[in-house]
Amino acid sequence: NGPYGDAITQELIPYIETHFRIIRKPYARVLTGGSTGGWESLDLQVKYPKLFGGTWTFYPDPLDFHHFQMVNLYADPNAFVAPIGGEWQHVERYMMRQPDGQPLVSVREMSRYEAVLGSHGRSGGQYDIFFATFGPIGADGYPVPLWNARTGVVDRSAVAYARDHGYDITAYLRQNWSRIGPDLVGKIHVYVGDMDTFYLNLGVYDLQAFMQTTVNPHYTGVFVYGRPEKPHGWNGGMTNAQLIENIAAAIAHNAPPGAPSGWRQ
């Protein structure tokens, strides 16, 4: 964790563009990634809309805190159980499933597993990674988790911190659309299986629902869902070579008249 936005945009990219034969223009700077890399690719495009020319984002980590996997961080009092069924029924929230829908691992099980591996967010597990990235730093110098790993109680203040610092990408877009929307038109492409192993398609649905409501400009993005029963890792049916060809075609299409547009030149 750290100031990776600054490191990538102010250090890494300038270094690469001054040491290699690269087109140093936004239309030719494109992003792609899957899972956590998918989240990062979309976040970079959204946070630096003028610097990059488009993102091809695959099965991204939660894009919207209304569906942090299956947990609604804004409404659920507890991440372990769904608030349905009355006092006598306790319906577990799950974080992993098979493509046919069979649940595999609950939020409770994974949270407690990570708590056993290391306290104060030091397990190296997925939830601790999320918490260290999204949440604030507590008085003890360690990340404040979005929910208690033993009890599942959601920390509303930590969730608000994460939202207000731009980690709910849909919320960030909603708040800043009038400013950044014009620079995002034509640049967002998201791919996810309809039965993503970690329920990540739910956050993608949330983002698409927001995009369909945008005005000034109205831009819906490109959203492609793998059906039927496509799990985590579904890449739109493309090979890596085909992905590169599609990205190259987009760069060529967006290049100003007479400007270089790719390796074919």
Side-chain angles (χ1 to χ4, degrees), residues 2-17:
Y4 280 98
D6 288 348
I8 290 170
T9 61
Q10 298 178 26
E11 298 176 30
L12 177 63
I13 290 176
Y15 179 89
I16 291 173
E17 291 187 342

Side-chain angles (χ1 to χ4, degrees), residues 19-31:
H19 286 74
F20 296 90
R21 187 163 58 92
I22 287 175
I23 302 170
R24 305 177 193 176
K25 299 293 182 180
Y27 73 85
R29 296 190 194 105
V30 293
L31 298 153

